[in-house]
Amino acid sequence: MTAPSVIFVDDDPHIRQAIAQTLTLEELPVLCFADAPTGLESITQEYSGVVLCDYNMPEMDGLEMLAAIRAVDDAIPVIILTGQGDISTAVTAMQQGAYDFIEKPFDQDELIELLRHALEKRHLALENRRLKAQLKHLAQPGPRLLGDSPSMQKVMAKIDPILDISANILLQGETGSGKDALARYIHESSPRGAHNFVAINCGAVPENLIESELFGHEAGAFTGADKRRIGKIEHANQGTLFLDEVESMPMTLQVKLLRVLEEQRVERLGSNQVQEVDVRIIAATKADLKALSGEGEFRADLYYRLNVVKVDIPPLRERKEDIPMLFHHFVLIAAARYDRESIPLNASQSARLMQHSWPGNVRELRNLAERYVLLGPAALDENDPAAADVTGRQTLSEMMDGFERSAIISALNASQGSIKDTMVHLGIARKTLYDKMKKHGLDKAQFKD
């Protein structure tokens, strides 16, 4: 049975029949009940529809039913019908959390519009709840990656078998594509997750300081070395050392790093003693290290030591299906940071994001999400790169296809894969929806919890 979009409760059988016919004609699935206690049996936190109920009913009136529904989930919209025209009752209902209050006799078009708005609010509430639950999960130690696109599935298929072993890994991808996030995921999902994850950007540390940063030093090892310092390699013992922009590492230091990898020992500057270390190295680069080694700009022996397992991270433009989920994730983080409301994107806004080429990759998307939280939809206006990039890069047909696919994905997400609810959301017939889903390679099972 199709999940109802509306649960209607009224003790008058004639009104129940009339409302059921009206809503069915409007393709709003409805479930009718003669009394509140029976109707309440069908209401759970997972209910994705709205409740329409009469005010005057035996056993339990509309306000009592409202209170019972809010005890289950206060985000379920409840619309109360009355024939009394009692303003004080209307005020009380709204104060107690009713979505709206409508008098009998009522205009059918007005009721339908009200129900559709309430359904949209319910879908947004459930989507927000799902995303917040996901964020809560991601805030805990463990996996922090988002994305179900085919290209990300290939990445995960390559990484999952090596999480429990200590093989060195080379991550290659464009700037901002998420190499740091992937390195943290590998560390936290491995047995080394209980120990330190130590990151250093080889391109950001001056050449005269990077050796001390990596290997540490003894007091007096050089001018300014007033006390002993433990280096990054030693600090990462039993954990993971992440070397970002490894292509920037000076040649002289590459030799010393190679020795550490071969011997699993490190010697501080100014010391004659070696320290045993057990470190997994994850190196990241935006360059082609193999080509650089062939040109003599990167040591070939170090390249092969780092490149036990190589993982190519796809740029964001090659996994556009992940953009709405990533954007929501970053919006929730920014909303929590700035104490602002997180407002989900509509289908048109999602389509604009998916049409952008994202030269700055995930980092650019995260920055836009922060601006969106701070500035609202103005951050997505025509002056924004996300919008400006759309024109001139795609044909009108491609742009329309992109928008259509994004709109269907957004509706399926909001409806948790329910075809009936998605039809209502988009205002199209079942066959049309199935044809378009087939065209865009979408399966309703992808969107079910």
Side-chain angles (χ1 to χ4, degrees):
M1 179 179 177
T2 302
S5 295
V6 180
I7 287 178
F8 176 48
V9 183
D10 195 303
D11 59 327
D12 187 325
H14 301 294
I15 294 179
R16 289 201 304 275
Q17 183 180 11
I19 291 289
Q21 290 176 347
T22 298
L23 299 186
T24 301
L25 288 172
E26 293 292 333
E27 297 187 328
L28 288 173
V30 59
L31 202 55
C32 296
F33 299 95
D35 59 80
T38 308
L40 286 169
E41 293 176 3
S42 299
I43 296 173
T44 66
Q45 283 189 326
E46 290 72 38
Y47 175 53
S48 60
V50 303
V51 176
L52 178 66
C53 68
D54 192 24
Y55 172 67
N56 284 309
M57 296 184 292
E59 296 188 61
M60 182 183 289
D61 66 24
L63 292 184
E64 291 172 323
M65 185 173 188
L66 170 64
I69 292 170
R70 288 180 61 79
V72 174
D73 184 350
D74 61 7
I76 296 176
V78 179
I79 301 170
I80 297 179
L81 294 173
T82 181
Q84 294 180 333
D86 188 342
I87 299 301
S88 65
T89 302
V91 171
T92 301
M94 300 300 286
Q95 289 175 339
Q96 293 183 5
Y99 179 78
D100 212 331
F101 191 98
I102 191 166
E103 292 183 48
K104 302 175 186 175
F106 50 82
D107 181 273
Q108 289 188 356
D109 292 338
E110 180 183 346
L111 176 62
I112 296 302
E113 183 179 3
L114 185 61
L115 288 171
R116 291 198 189 281
H117 286 163
L119 274 171
E120 184 176 355
K121 181 180 179 181
R122 178 59 176 163
H123 292 159
L124 288 175
L126 289 174
E127 174 71 0
N128 240 353
R129 183 178 297 166
R130 183 183 68 82
L131 292 167
K132 285 180 179 178
Q134 185 181 60
L135 179 59
K136 183 178 180 181
H137 171 70
L138 293 170
Q140 299 171 351
R144 296 168 186 260
L145 295 183
L146 291 172
D148 294 318
S149 60
S151 55
M152 282 304 292
Q153 289 177 7
K154 288 181 181 178
V155 169
M156 298 312 301
K158 194 165 191 178
I159 284 175
D160 283 344
I162 59 171
L163 290 176
D164 293 338
I165 60 177
S166 294
N168 296 327
I169 298 174
L170 179 63
L171 306 179
Q172 183 164 346
E174 296 178 5
T175 299
S177 59
K179 298 186 288 292
D180 177 84
L182 186 56
R184 289 180 185 275
Y185 170 86
I186 294 169
H187 169 76
E188 293 175 359
S189 302
S190 75
R192 295 178 177 270
H195 301 281
N196 291 332
F197 175 84
V198 181
I200 183 170
N201 188 316
C202 301
V205 182
E207 186 172 340
N208 61 330
L209 295 179
I210 190 170
E211 184 174 3
S212 173
E213 282 290 313
L214 278 173
F215 293 89
H217 61 255
E218 297 289 344
F222 52 85
T223 303
D226 300 327
K227 58 183 179 180
R228 172 188 290 178
R229 177 173 180 179
I230 302 298
K232 301 289 189 185
I233 297 174
E234 196 173 343
H235 187 53
N237 187 37
Q238 296 187 303
T240 303
L241 177 66
F242 176 53
L243 300 174
D244 198 7
E245 296 189 24
V246 70
E247 73 276 7
S248 303
M249 182 177 289
M251 275 288 190
T252 54
L253 198 57
Q254 291 180 29
V255 177
K256 295 185 177 182
L257 178 62
L258 179 62
R259 185 174 303 147
V260 171
L261 295 178
E262 290 176 340
E263 301 177 0
Q264 288 291 293
R265 297 191 300 176
V266 65
E267 185 176 320
R268 302 187 195 114
L269 296 181
S271 174
N272 293 319
Q273 294 183 338
V274 295
Q275 308 293 326
E276 300 288 337
V277 289
D278 171 19
V279 177
R280 174 190 234 173
I281 304 290
I282 300 179
T285 180
K286 60 180 180 294
D288 184 343
L289 286 190
K290 186 174 183 180
L292 290 179
S293 65
E295 297 166 2
E297 296 183 18
F298 194 87
R299 291 189 63 94
D301 45 7
L302 178 59
Y303 165 69
Y304 289 114
R305 271 288 180 179
L306 296 174
N307 188 30
V308 176
V309 178
K310 182 184 177 186
V311 180
D312 292 304
I313 303 177
L316 195 54
R317 63 181 175 275
E318 292 180 7
R319 55 184 188 112
K320 292 191 174 183
E321 303 96 319
D322 297 334
I323 289 174
M325 184 188 298
L326 282 166
F327 188 82
H328 279 303
H329 172 64
F330 293 135
V331 163
L332 287 172
I333 292 174
R337 179 185 304 150
Y338 299 117
D339 194 24
R340 296 288 185 89
E341 182 182 1
S342 59
I343 304 173
L345 295 175
N346 60 36
S348 175
Q349 291 167 331
S350 292
R352 286 170 59 188
L353 294 184
M354 293 176 72
Q355 289 163 0
H356 181 43
S357 62
W358 299 105
N361 288 296
V362 177
R363 185 175 299 141
E364 181 184 356
L365 182 67
R366 183 181 62 223
N367 291 340
L368 180 60
E370 289 205 5
R371 293 201 304 274
Y372 176 77
V373 168
L374 294 172
L375 304 177
L380 306 176
D381 65 16
E382 294 302 321
N383 295 321
D384 192 274
D389 187 73
V390 174
T391 58
R393 295 181 182 269
Q394 293 180 304
T395 65
L396 178 60
S397 176
E398 291 171 336
M399 291 170 65
M400 294 299 292
D401 281 347
F403 173 80
E404 182 178 80
R405 188 177 193 277
S406 176
I408 295 172
I409 289 174
S410 178
L412 284 166
N413 270 324
S415 305
Q416 298 182 4
S418 167
I419 295 298
K420 190 69 173 179
D421 290 348
T422 302
M423 290 164 49
V424 172
H425 191 92
L426 297 174
I428 58 177
R430 182 183 296 270
K431 185 179 185 306
T432 302
L433 176 58
Y434 275 122
D435 288 345
K436 291 183 180 297
M437 288 174 63
K438 183 177 179 180
K439 171 185 174 183
H440 296 296
L442 301 175
D443 185 338
K444 66 179 181 180
Q446 299 172 262
F447 303 91
K448 294 184 179 294
D449 289 338

